[in-house]
Amino acid sequence: MDEQTIVVRKLTPGIGAEITGVDLARPLGNHAFQAIHDALMQNLVIFFRDQDLTHDQQKAFGRRFGELHIHPTSIATVPNHPEVLVIKADEKSKFVAGEEWHTDVSCDPEPPMGSILYLKEVPPDGGGDTLFASMYRAFETLSPPIQKLCESLTAIHDGAQVYGGRFGQKPKEGGFPKNEHPVVRTHPVTGRKALYVNRNFTTRIVQLGKRESDALLNLLWDHSETPEFQCRFAWRPNSIAFWDNRAAMHHAMWDYFPHRRLGYRVTVKGDKPFYRA
Ligand code: SIN
């Protein structure tokens, strides 16, 4: 395919873009890689339609952006592909992955930079959209005194809360990951500041008493879920979403029970979150 045909169309001014003119089953040339990388940095989450990928091809696409991440729990993966998570819901499901606002595996010491979700089956009557929120906008729209306070804080992100709780999974080794990260992180590529707390994993702000921590976390969660910071993706079979976990959080809408939705997620490793004034 002629790499010059790549087109990036924004879904909203602040977050989300759809990319056409690229076949992700084929090795990405440098021009295509750069165009996709830049679109991800500018739009936080990018979408592709009508892609036909094997597990190996999905992994090869992910590897263009970095090493692949292995999930720290017993979450289902494709046989012989430990890097490919199965994202599935049907009439037997008691929960679905991602049904609470979160960034992926923020409990890890070096949480994933990005995630690439490829859906093969979608519910027959609609539903099952994924919502994405810009954590840049969440930070930028806080009032300056609250921004200043948040910039001075760190928080605990604990995998036990969600993986050991609602999901009933087991850690691969030792316990579930539990790590301290800045409440505001500087994006290593764009240099922009993003709020970095989420309902799934963040349990406590280290420098505050419990009541203060609970109150501030609730304020920050409510604020970061403001509809104006969001875009929403309506899946079709063979669509792909690729999101930047350092700048966006997401929420999988489970409004289609008992119908089936099936896909595969490849996750790209990231680095240790940091804050730079
Ligand atoms: C996830 O959080 O990886 C799942 C997102 C989705 O199923 O839409």
Side-chain angles (χ1 to χ4, degrees):
M1 182 176 292
D2 176 6
E3 291 185 354
Q4 302 305 319
T5 59
I6 290 182
V7 174
V8 179
R9 188 181 60 83
K10 277 181 174 292
L11 264 58
T12 78
I15 182 166
E18 187 161 330
I19 298 189
T20 53
V22 61
D23 177 2
L24 300 180
R26 297 175 51 168
L28 277 190
N30 289 341
H31 169 81
F33 168 75
Q34 200 58 49
I36 292 171
H37 176 270
D38 293 352
L40 181 64
M41 293 307 107
Q42 282 158 22
N43 298 287
L44 293 54
V45 53
I46 50 180
F47 306 105
F48 304 85
R49 300 284 191 188
D50 305 319
Q51 299 290 328
D52 187 12
L53 300 188
T54 63
H55 298 308
D56 280 322
Q57 287 165 332
Q58 187 181 356
K59 289 197 299 190
F61 175 56
R63 284 199 179 106
R64 282 297 259 128
F65 293 83
E67 269 181 68
L68 299 186
H69 174 267
I70 304 283
H71 205 273
T73 74
S74 57
I75 198 166
T77 53
V78 173
N80 303 320
H81 294 278
E83 313 90 339
V84 184
L85 305 187
V86 178
I87 303 291
K88 178 179 158 195
D90 60 17
E91 75 285 354
K92 296 199 202 87
S93 300
K94 301 271 186 288
F95 63 88
V96 302
E99 61 180 305
E100 183 59 275
W101 280 105
H102 67 291
T103 58
D104 291 322
V105 207
S106 68
C107 54
D108 261 3
E110 296 180 346
M113 134 306 157
S115 304
I116 301 165
L117 178 61
Y118 176 38
L119 282 203
K120 295 300 291 177
E121 291 179 42
V122 302
D125 301 326
D129 295 357
T130 308
L131 281 63
F132 297 88
S134 167
M135 299 305 271
Y136 293 144
R137 292 300 295 147
F139 175 71
E140 290 159 2
T141 52
L142 288 169
S143 56
I146 302 289
Q147 284 184 341
K148 203 162 185 304
L149 171 65
C150 289
E151 285 171 316
S152 71
L153 301 173
T154 57
I156 302 297
H157 295 238
D158 189 352
Q161 167 163 283
V162 53
Y163 299 137
R166 200 161 80 247
F167 289 12
Q169 284 161 10
K170 300 199 173 17
K172 284 221 174 92
E173 51 193 51
F176 291 103
K178 181 174 176 179
N179 284 283
E180 185 174 338
H181 298 309
V183 167
V184 180
R185 73 180 291 185
T186 304
H187 194 288
V189 179
T190 66
R192 290 176 73 182
K193 291 177 194 166
L195 204 53
Y196 196 62
V197 290
N198 66 84
R199 287 186 195 270
N200 248 7
F201 295 108
T202 317
T203 52
R204 179 74 191 254
I205 295 179
V206 174
Q207 294 78 7
L208 303 182
K210 178 152 177 14
R211 288 179 66 184
E212 295 165 330
S213 167
D214 289 350
L216 184 57
L217 283 175
N218 276 302
L219 170 78
L220 297 178
W221 291 330
D222 287 350
H223 172 72
S224 55
E225 293 159 14
T226 299
E228 284 77 5
F229 309 156
Q230 297 178 20
C231 72
R232 178 172 180 141
F233 187 57
W235 293 88
R236 298 199 296 256
N238 298 325
S239 300
I240 288 180
F242 184 177
W243 58 87
D244 182 342
N245 283 301
R246 302 165 299 189
M249 52 173 199
H250 58 283
H251 168 84
M253 187 66 80
W254 193 23
D255 52 359
Y256 52 90
F257 182 85
H259 295 301
R260 194 175 142 91
R261 180 179 183 268
L262 173 71
Y264 304 101
R265 195 183 94 194
V266 161
T267 312
V268 181
K269 281 187 183 177
D271 43 19
K272 193 165 172 45
F274 64 90
Y275 168 73
R276 192 167 50 223

